[in-house]
Amino acid sequence: MTTTLVTGANKGLGLETTRRLIAAGHTVYAGMRDLASGEAARNLGAIAVQLDVTDQASVDKAIGSLPELDVLINNAAVVGPSWGLDDLDVDAMRVAFETNVYGVVRVTQAALPLLQQSSAPVIVNVASGLGFPRALLDPEDDSFNGYMIPYASSKAAVLALTVQYAKNLPGMRINASDPGYTATDLNSHKGHQTVTEGTDATVALALVGPDGPTGEYHNRQGRITY
């Protein structure tokens, strides 16, 4: 049995990822800040675990409660308080980076000892086309019209983190997924993709074997070259 931890798993992409991996036979620990919001995950058969990626004590307690770990999906993310230049400041950047970047590092570092005991360890970092400069510059891409500087720059950092972790840990499969413009709370459900479509890449990367790709960035159509 494959044991998986999904952060931010109480709703949206995290909840759908949880559902699909349980259907694939995984035992899924659904991480969430507030266990009171975990009914949907529990109804799917997930094990809800209190996990605030911005709080080291919470992360350590959550990881310490796991009997083993094969797959880590760093899904938790926030847009942050800034949507444009008028309200942009360092504090707005800090809010986005605290969850989207530092949270990835916090959880991954805590989970590494367990992952290193797995025969087929996998990490999937949920990134975004908004963190991909080529997409931001392409008028035909959905990301072109996204102007949120904190969120976009934090997701660019996630892509760099993914590559660097993959290089440092060649025995693991470590990749980043791009959900695309998916209808979630993050965009007030304006996205044109369903959460199932938005989790295609994440789920596919979560299911790779020891000979699968690593250090790559995938959307639902497959690999994207950097």
Side-chain angles (χ1 to χ4, degrees), residues 42-131:
R42 285 189 287 266
N43 287 342
L44 293 173
I47 303 162
V49 58
Q50 197 282 326
L51 174 55
D52 180 350
V53 303
T54 70
D55 182 339
Q56 188 67 56
S58 172
V59 170
D60 291 341
K61 184 177 180 180
I63 298 298
S65 73
L66 305 181
E68 58 189 7
L69 186 62
D70 302 293
V71 179
L72 169 62
I73 299 179
N74 286 308
N75 167 78
V78 298
V79 171
S82 172
W83 287 77
L85 290 178
D86 290 342
D87 57 357
L88 178 66
D89 57 22
V90 171
D91 288 336
M93 295 292 292
R94 188 176 289 114
V95 169
F97 272 70
E98 190 65 53
T99 295
N100 303 353
V101 182
Y102 308 150
V104 170
V105 174
R106 210 174 269 118
V107 175
T108 301
Q109 290 299 115
L112 280 181
L114 280 180
L115 287 167
Q116 287 166 334
Q117 295 175 34
S118 171
S119 60
V122 170
I123 299 173
V124 183
N125 296 324
V126 180
S128 169
L130 286 164

Side-chain angles (χ1 to χ4, degrees), residues 12 32-33 42 58 76 95 102 115 120 125 133 143 163 196-197 217 223:
M32 59 196 71
R33 286 179 294 183
R42 285 189 287 266
S58 172
V95 169
Y102 308 150
L115 287 167
N125 296 324
S143 298
V163 172
T196 300
E197 291 171 324
Y217 173 43
R223 181 174 184 266

Side-chain angles (χ1 to χ4, degrees), residues 24-38:
H26 289 213
T27 297
V28 177
Y29 287 79
M32 59 196 71
R33 286 179 294 183
D34 183 1
L35 287 176
S37 69

Side-chain angles (χ1 to χ4, degrees), residues 158-175:
V158 170
L159 294 179
L161 277 175
T162 301
V163 172
Q164 297 299 80
Y165 266 105
K167 286 161 58 180
N168 278 277
L169 297 165
M172 297 188 186
R173 304 298 89 184
I174 303 173
N175 296 287

